[in-house]
Amino acid sequence: LSLQESYDNAGLITGKPDLEVTGVMVCLDSTEEVLDEAIHKNCNMVVAHHPIVFSGIKKLNGKNYVERTVIKAIQNNVELYASHTNLDNVRGGVNGRMAETLGLQQVEILQPSTGILRKLVTYAPPDISEQIRQHLFRSGAGNIGNYDSCSFSSPGMGTYRGNQQSHPDRGVAGEYHKEHEERIEVIYEKWKEEAILRALRQAHTYEEIAYDIFPLDNVLNLTGSGLIGRLPEALPPREFLSFAKQCFKTGVIRHTKLIDRNIQNIALCGGAGSFLLEKAIKRGADVFVSADFKYHQFFDADGRILIADIGHFESEQFTIDLLRDLILKNFPNFAVHLTGVRTNPVFYT
């Protein structure tokens, strides 16, 4: 959940965290019709991509579909859960399914995340420093790109004096003590912090462990917005649009004027991705496949790129299968149902 955008509302929307889940209904949107389907199939949890509650609710009196769905979920003891921008922001998430559908190769994050990494600095005597490092590595610290077990150490001198209630591992209570120590540094993704600090406490022998945590602005290439990749073979623009229509099962693609070069470098983003247009252009994409472009945003392509707006629902339709696969990967014998309700509110005539 720490990967969700600041404006998002992913996670458990209604229900208690300790409720025993007996069956899950997976959907893109947790509408009233989907909730009725879940109740009919004895599923007491609905896992959706879009949060049914996105902004604040001041009253619950059933005046709109959001309030009616929440009320019905509470009355029937059905939990509503959403995995939204946190599922968008990982390589194997929503955008990953789009890339697989198009058969893209050499796939990378279009706009990598910043502010995800942190650095832990701690201090320990040399005879236990390796023990601490290994505990930190096993808990998930020290991963940089294609490398793991990454750390930095430097020697130094620590000092302390415990009071009469202290029980120092080295030295004597009430006496000033100097101890040769190593400074140990490791980086980690912020969602691993609880496990890493627990590992530090398990491995360290000091009664009071000195450590510092620093937020980092380093780029994390494993998470972020959108993806960019390459088609195995370049296609003329019109052929690519026909190919995309077939892949995403849509009869309509809103697009800019066809460019005068073949299409091979593909940038994409599920849902509303217009905020990534300039990034797609800078990364050398021939086409940007996304949704929810406004009229004037099509002008921003300015002949530099082909915008292909395939529709919000169409870009995220495979998220239902993705959520099911993620659940079954962790709980192979669990009862997971795919909704039979098509929740796309947009119709084409």
Side-chain angles (χ1 to χ4, degrees):
L1 288 176
S2 60
L3 283 177
Q4 70 176 313
E5 299 294 337
S6 59
Y7 59 81
D8 200 10
N9 190 37
L12 189 62
I13 308 296
T14 68
K16 298 180 179 179
D18 58 352
L19 179 70
E20 184 179 86
V21 178
T22 57
V24 171
M25 177 66 66
V26 178
C27 59
L28 195 63
D29 306 278
S30 49
T31 63
E32 292 177 85
E33 195 174 356
V34 170
L35 186 56
D36 289 337
E37 182 185 20
I39 295 169
H40 176 71
K41 293 187 176 180
N42 296 316
C43 296
N44 66 345
M45 187 172 192
V46 173
V47 176
H49 181 47
H50 296 133
I52 183 65
V53 178
F54 195 72
S55 54
I57 291 181
K58 293 185 177 180
K59 296 179 181 179
L60 274 175
N61 51 35
K63 70 177 182 295
N64 56 46
Y65 83 96
V66 173
E67 294 182 9
R68 291 193 299 271
T69 301
V70 171
I71 290 171
K72 181 175 288 189
I74 294 172
Q75 288 175 335
N76 289 273
N77 206 28
V78 176
E79 307 213 325
L80 301 180
Y81 190 94
S83 185
H84 192 211
T85 55
N86 50 323
L87 193 60
D88 293 329
N89 287 337
V90 291
R91 284 191 59 168
V94 175
N95 299 318
R97 284 299 169 103
M98 290 181 68
E100 290 175 9
T101 302
L102 290 170
L104 299 189
Q105 302 172 348
Q106 303 174 36
V107 176
E108 300 176 357
I109 297 290
L110 180 59
Q111 180 172 277
S113 301
T114 59
I116 299 295
L117 294 174
R118 293 180 178 175
K119 179 193 286 186
L120 171 70
V121 177
T122 190
Y123 310 87
D127 60 315
I128 64 169
S129 61
E130 185 59 26
Q131 168 183 309
I132 292 172
R133 269 190 292 272
Q134 293 303 320
H135 270 70
L136 295 175
F137 295 154
R138 285 194 291 271
S139 67
N143 296 323
I144 303 177
N146 294 321
Y147 296 84
D148 60 26
S149 303
C150 302
S151 70
F152 179 79
S153 298
S154 56
M157 180 70 69
T159 66
Y160 53 82
R161 178 172 60 199
N163 59 30
Q164 295 304 317
Q165 283 73 47
S166 65
H167 300 87
D169 179 63
R170 322 256 171 135
V172 179
E175 295 183 5
Y176 179 74
H177 181 76
K178 298 172 70 175
E179 183 73 33
H180 289 284
E181 293 179 327
E182 284 188 25
R183 174 187 170 107
I184 304 170
E185 303 180 21
V186 290
I187 67 171
Y188 60 92
E189 297 90 342
K190 61 183 181 181
W191 60 84
K192 298 178 180 178
E193 187 164 289
E194 183 178 349
I196 287 170
L197 291 179
R198 185 165 56 246
L200 175 62
R201 297 186 186 99
Q202 291 172 349
H204 213 302
T205 59
Y206 280 7
E207 184 179 26
E208 297 290 347
I209 304 169
Y211 66 89
D212 304 298
I213 292 175
F214 300 95
L216 303 177
D217 286 331
N218 301 47
V219 169
L220 180 62
N221 289 312
L222 299 177
T223 65
S225 302
L227 290 177
I228 186 168
R230 289 173 61 84
L231 288 172
E233 295 183 8
L235 295 174
R238 195 171 296 280
E239 286 187 26
F240 172 78
L241 290 175
S242 296
F243 172 63
K245 287 170 68 174
Q246 179 183 359
C247 288
F248 294 104
K249 305 174 184 178
T250 179
V252 177
I253 293 182
R254 300 164 65 230
H255 62 85
T256 51
K257 183 179 178 180
L258 300 182
I259 58 177
D260 59 357
R261 66 179 186 272
N262 284 344
I263 303 295
Q264 187 161 32
N265 295 325
I266 315 295
L268 55 84
C269 179
S274 61
F275 69 100
L276 290 171
L277 178 60
E278 286 301 320
K279 178 63 68 172
I281 294 171
K282 290 179 181 178
R283 294 289 299 271
D286 301 311
V287 63
F288 184 34
V289 180
S290 190
D292 295 353
F293 275 84
K294 296 180 180 179
Y295 174 82
H296 287 95
Q297 291 174 323
F298 282 90
F299 286 106
D300 295 333
D302 200 21
R304 299 172 294 172
I305 195 171
L306 175 65
I307 295 175
D309 186 328
I310 62 174
H312 197 118
F313 176 88
E314 287 76 10
S315 70
E316 296 179 335
Q317 59 187 294
F318 307 110
T319 306
I320 298 175
D321 298 318
L322 171 62
L323 289 167
R324 175 200 59 195
D325 294 346
L326 287 171
I327 295 171
L328 291 179
K329 179 181 178 180
N330 290 280
F331 306 99
N333 299 320
F334 205 69
V336 180
H337 300 269
L338 300 184
T339 181
V341 178
R342 181 177 173 84
T343 60
N344 189 3
V346 180
F347 290 82
Y348 306 97
T349 300

